[in-house]
Amino acid sequence: MNDDPVLDFLREKKDGYVSGEEMSRRLKVSRAAVWKGIEVLRRLGYEVESRAGQGYRLTGIPDKMFADEIAYGLKTRMIGKKIFSYEDLDSTNDAAWRLGEEGLPEGACVFAEHQKKGRGRMGRSWLSPKGKGVLLSVLLRPKLSPAEAARVTLMTAVSAARAMKKHVGKAPGIKWPNDLLYGGKKVCGILTEMSAELDRVKFVVVGIGVNVNASAKDLPPGSTSLREAAGRAVSRQDFARDLLTEMEADYLRLKDGRFEEIVRDWEDHSATSGKRVTATVFGRKIQGQAVGIDSDGALWIRRDNGLQERVLAGDVQHLDGVRA
Ligand code: BTN
């Protein structure tokens, strides 16, 4: 739902009542049309109190990722300027990809309550119980070469970590390249897909899956949620707004040529640097100590024989205790 004038009125009054008569006069519609508008809102899950002689008052909003709700109070200039929201989709990344091909400006976002074919990295799937997470894809058009596109993923991990800290009280760890962990368990995954020519990125779709209010028993093994980490429920709408806000700030840094700052932030959150790891790169295993990431976001691993290897894409497994 988008730009509902009755809802706007109720919000405007916030803690007070607005009369049906005033709404009908200012909206230039009949009293019956106002009443119908209120009923539609109630069916969508909005709590609207009505009091004889005083009118209507908004007392509760639904826990739904409605475009209108996320946009309300969002102060970004580009990310989230256009929001699409769905109850059920195959994958938000596919929907955002189509927007990219249709030529939509960067910053367009797609949210879903549930995905039938949610995708993870390395051909894995992403499972999230309906209505409990933030499933989001953001369309970006960075001026980068295909080799530099991984920067967008690292940037998103940093933005998500900062948004999570705000809601949980402590920051998650980032497991290279882009898993966010609390207590060693995964709370968020990021899947970046790009449309590119040989030397330039046409567009990038950054898909972010965050377990927000699911309980651990409803999530795949090894996963956790913001609610589990915080010990209380987290507002998905507030979290989504904070995530988009952090992403915009970091994307501006990236556009500004300040990627080293993002690398430093990534290192500050790193749950991988200093760990003994096994990296799997196209089926080849590299074991050793993770040293850190370089300015391309590649992970450096010191093998036991002292040789250092650079891993630009792949998966890592932490071999010793958790730090997150
Ligand atoms: C991973 O950890 O392997 C990445 C998971 C990414 C999941 C998100 S959910 C929203 C977006 N749509 C998808 O199909 N995948 C990403």
Side-chain angles (χ1 to χ4, degrees), residues 170-189:
K170 61 175 180 172
I174 308 177
K175 173 171 169 272
W176 187 88
N178 51 11
D179 287 352
L180 282 88
L181 315 174
Y182 276 107
K185 293 186 174 167
K186 184 158 167 171
V187 72
C188 166

Side-chain angles (χ1 to χ4, degrees), residues 43-65:
R43 272 200 296 279
L44 286 168
Y46 288 87
E47 287 164 31
V48 186
E49 196 182 283
S50 51
R51 188 173 279 187
Q54 295 200 60
Y56 302 99
R57 189 166 73 108
L58 186 62
T59 53
I61 55 171
D63 174 24
K64 286 280 194 179
M65 302 309 282

Side-chain angles (χ1 to χ4, degrees), residues 91-93 115 118-121 126 136 179 186 189-190 207-209:
S91 156
T92 55
N93 266 33
Q115 299 180 121
R119 285 199 302 279
R121 293 175 64 242
W126 179 263
L136 158 69
D179 287 352
K186 184 158 167 171
I190 300 165
I208 309 157

Side-chain angles (χ1 to χ4, degrees), residues 126-129 132 186-187 210-226 228:
W126 179 263
L127 302 171
S128 172
K132 298 285 181 193
K186 184 158 167 171
V187 72
V210 185
N211 302 322
V212 180
N213 284 324
S215 49
K217 67 174 177 29
D218 297 325
L219 291 168
S223 304
T224 190
S225 66
L226 297 182
E228 300 270 347

